[in-house]
């Protein structure tokens, strides 16, 4: 996978920031990718199925051990590094409510805390301190999981420097723990798994209950297709109300149906769900249940008919999020409708919703015309200029230097 100029710049920025921070070179630079979700939205915390892929945008962590027991993190996001002792991590996390450190710092520090928590009692105190400098070209808050990318980069660096020998699935779980318990964002495991297990030209089919995975060849390039991201620039926040409300609806639905999670509900059970639930909770449940089925259908259609045949599933996924789960916004609907009107094979919002990005599967030759049409449609409605770029299914974490 050839790195883009921006990715190379982010790599260099992490190493430069490290030198500014410490006056010396890092021991290594580790990176992990963001991800786009092809299909399977809000199914992860319902123990269901998702089909994301890692993208070429990456977050880099330049790092080196220190002699003392202090951990210092810096990011190009902030002029202020944050430094604590490793022992202090246990007082900072888990944080009830907003973390006591700058929010961005809770991601790498939360990863360090979650890694220490895996060690047998007492052995955490023998770990050396570490300096960590972070830079990224993953768009933030766009539904492309800059959060999983920073967790994956920090986790990969600490795993190797501390010689923990954790596998990618364990590191994904560490990232989720950091995000849930250190940052306080109640997200599922999809993003971290997608980032940690990414394979070029393939999506990751993930069963979020068992954490079983399968690499699903996408064949976009061979079919002359591109994935166009339409980032609306509208920031979402997982820690705010809408996301928690959706989760609560799903939990009520599962409880009413007498199952551990909505994963255990099938499309055939929906009439019974309609009788047991109020209209809002029912529609939330219907989204999750039909979305699980659409993920399974996408995997089989990809294998049987190839990527050009998955368009209707993407379109149905968007309609379900717009009408049943009610997490779309006008910008995302206009992005999807305009892309489809210009000949996209399929399009849907991706990520948690309430902002962020849509993806459109388009013929290579249509990337320009679709992009122009979306820009015009946004301008006509007085929306802010969207940020448009293509993403390529890419490999997971690596040590880059
Ligand atoms: P998304 O994952 O969709 O981009 P999130 O709200 O889940 O959005 O995560 C974004 C947050 O992750 C940022 O607000 C910031 O706190 C943290 N973050 C992401 N990338 C970096 C980075 N390079 N440096 C510091 N913090 C980062
Ligand atoms: Mg995120």
């Amino acid at each position: 996978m050839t790195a883009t100029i921006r990715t190379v710049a982010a790599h260099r920025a992490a190493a430069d920031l490290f030198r500014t921070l410490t006056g010396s070179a890092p021991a290594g630079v580790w990176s992990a990718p963001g991800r786009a979700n092809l299909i399977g939205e809000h199914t992860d915390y319902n123990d269901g199925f998702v089909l994301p892929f890692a993208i070429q945008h990456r977050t880099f962590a330049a790092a080196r051990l220190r002699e003392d027991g202090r951990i210092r993190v810096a990011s190009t996001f902030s002029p202020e590094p944050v430094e604590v002792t490793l022992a202090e991590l246990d007082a900072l996390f888990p944080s009830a409510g907003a973390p006591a450190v700058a929010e961005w710092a809770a991601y790498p520090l939360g990863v360090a805390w979650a890694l220490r928590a895996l060690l047998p009692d007492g052995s955490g105190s023998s770990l050396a301190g570490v300096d960590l400098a972070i830079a990224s070209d993953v768009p933030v808050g766009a539904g492309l999981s800059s959060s999983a990318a920073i967790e994956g980069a920090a986790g990969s660096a600490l795993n190797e420097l501390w010689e923990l020998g954790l596998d990618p699935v364990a590191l994904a779980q560490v990232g989720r723990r950091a995000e849930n318990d250190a940052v306080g964002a109640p997200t599922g495991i999809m993003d971290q798994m997608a980032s940690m297990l990414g394979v070029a030209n393939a999506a990751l089919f993930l069963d979020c209950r068992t954490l079983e995975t399968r690499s699903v060849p996408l064949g976009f390039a061979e079919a002359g297709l591109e994935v166009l991201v339409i980032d609306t620039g509208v920031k979402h926040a997982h820690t705010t109300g809408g996301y928690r409300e959706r989760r609560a609806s799903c939990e009520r639905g599962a409880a009413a149906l007498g199952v551990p999670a909505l994963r255990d509900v099938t499309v055939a059970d929906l009439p019974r769900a309609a009788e047991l639930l109020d209209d809002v909770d029912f529609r939330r449940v219907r989204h999750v249940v039909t979305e699980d089925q659409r993920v399974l259908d996408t995997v089989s259609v990809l294998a049987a008919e190839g990527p050009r045949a998955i368009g209707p599933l993407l379109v149905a996924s968007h309609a379900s999020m717009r009408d049943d789960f009610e997490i779309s916004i006008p910008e995302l609907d206009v992005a999807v409708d305009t892309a489809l009107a210009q000949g996209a094979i399929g399009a849907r919002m991706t990520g948690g919703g309430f902002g962020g990005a849509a993806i459109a599967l388009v013929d290579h030759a249509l990337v320009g015309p679709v992009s122009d049409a979306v820009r015009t449609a946004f301008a006509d409605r007085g929306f802010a200029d969207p940020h448009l770029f293509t993403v390529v299914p890419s490999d997971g974490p690596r040590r880059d230097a």
Side-chain angles (χ1 to χ4, degrees):
M1 173 70 245
T2 44
T4 66
I5 291 168
R6 283 165 53 96
T7 310
V8 172
H11 180 184
R12 198 167 295 150
D16 288 350
L17 181 63
F18 188 94
R19 278 188 208 92
T20 309
L21 185 72
T22 66
S24 56
V29 180
W30 290 261
S31 70
R35 64 102 188 95
N37 192 17
L38 187 59
I39 195 161
E41 223 65 77
H42 288 263
T43 47
D44 63 348
Y45 55 79
N46 290 298
D47 276 3
F49 309 117
V50 293
L51 194 63
F53 59 89
I55 58 177
Q56 76 273 30
H57 301 78
R58 306 179 76 84
T59 296
F60 295 84
R64 200 173 72 183
L65 293 177
R66 304 165 49 122
E67 300 289 309
D68 59 14
R70 303 183 75 79
I71 178 162
R72 179 165 50 161
V73 292
S75 162
T76 52
F77 274 33
S78 164
E80 295 295 330
V82 174
E83 183 173 340
V84 297
T85 66
L86 289 174
E88 277 164 352
L89 292 172
D90 295 330
L92 284 173
F93 309 126
S95 49
V101 289
E103 194 202 60
W104 69 266
Y107 289 85
L109 293 178
V111 166
W113 162 74
L115 284 171
R116 265 169 52 94
L118 289 178
L119 299 176
D121 255 2
S123 58
S125 56
S126 63
L127 290 175
V130 63
D131 283 314
L132 205 76
I134 291 153
S136 177
D137 73 339
V138 184
V140 173
L144 296 173
S145 208
S146 67
S147 56
I150 188 174
E151 290 152 13
S156 301
L158 293 172
N159 186 40
E160 196 170 326
L161 289 171
W162 283 344
E163 299 177 6
L164 301 175
L166 296 177
D167 65 23
V169 174
L171 286 178
Q173 287 168 316
V174 161
R176 182 194 183 178
R177 176 115 203 260
E179 189 146 347
N180 290 173
D181 298 338
V183 179
T187 55
I189 189 77
M190 166 173 69
D191 297 354
Q192 294 81 8
M193 290 290 281
S195 177
M196 296 308 294
L197 297 172
V199 172
N201 301 318
L204 183 78
F205 173 76
L206 167 64
D207 178 334
C208 297
R209 170 167 282 167
T210 62
L211 293 194
E212 276 171 61
T213 58
R214 188 147 50 90
S215 188
V216 176
L218 289 169
F220 289 159
E222 296 89 323
L225 296 175
E226 304 254 13
V227 180
L228 178 66
V229 174
I230 305 159
D231 178 6
T232 64
V234 179
K235 299 282 176 244
H236 72 87
H238 279 168
T239 39
T240 52
Y243 188 89
R244 285 177 196 278
E245 276 168 29
R246 298 306 182 282
R247 288 193 69 139
S249 278
C250 293
E251 281 160 22
R252 279 195 298 274
L257 287 155
V259 292
L262 292 182
R263 148 69 173 277
D264 303 301
V265 181
T266 66
V267 174
D269 299 323
L270 286 175
R272 191 162 75 88
E275 282 169 20
L276 292 170
L277 299 169
D278 69 28
D279 173 61
V280 170
D281 282 355
F282 170 66
R283 287 186 292 112
R284 306 299 187 246
V285 166
R286 182 167 61 186
H287 164 70
V288 172
V289 171
T290 57
E291 185 79 350
D292 269 335
Q293 188 58 49
R294 281 186 289 271
V295 174
L296 298 173
D297 292 347
T298 302
V299 171
S300 34
V301 168
L302 278 168
E305 300 170 57
R308 287 185 172 270
I310 67 171
L313 291 160
L314 303 183
V315 174
S317 171
H318 185 77
S320 178
M321 287 187 281
R322 182 189 60 212
D323 303 334
D324 274 354
F325 222 57
E326 296 183 280
I327 52 172
S328 190
I329 57 169
E331 285 86 343
L332 289 168
D333 294 338
V334 166
V336 166
D337 293 345
T338 307
L340 292 173
Q342 289 296 314
I345 281 168
R348 59 183 284 277
M349 52 156 284
T350 183
F354 306 108
I359 54 169
L361 190 60
V362 294
D363 272 300
H364 180 71
L366 282 182
V367 169
V370 169
S371 302
D372 291 345
V374 169
R375 279 196 196 91
T376 305
F378 272 48
D380 287 349
R381 287 166 182 78
F383 298 160
D385 268 349
H387 183 206
L388 290 134
F389 52 95
T390 56
V391 288
V392 181
S394 299
D395 286 325
R398 58 173 180 250
R399 182 171 178 166
D400 294 83

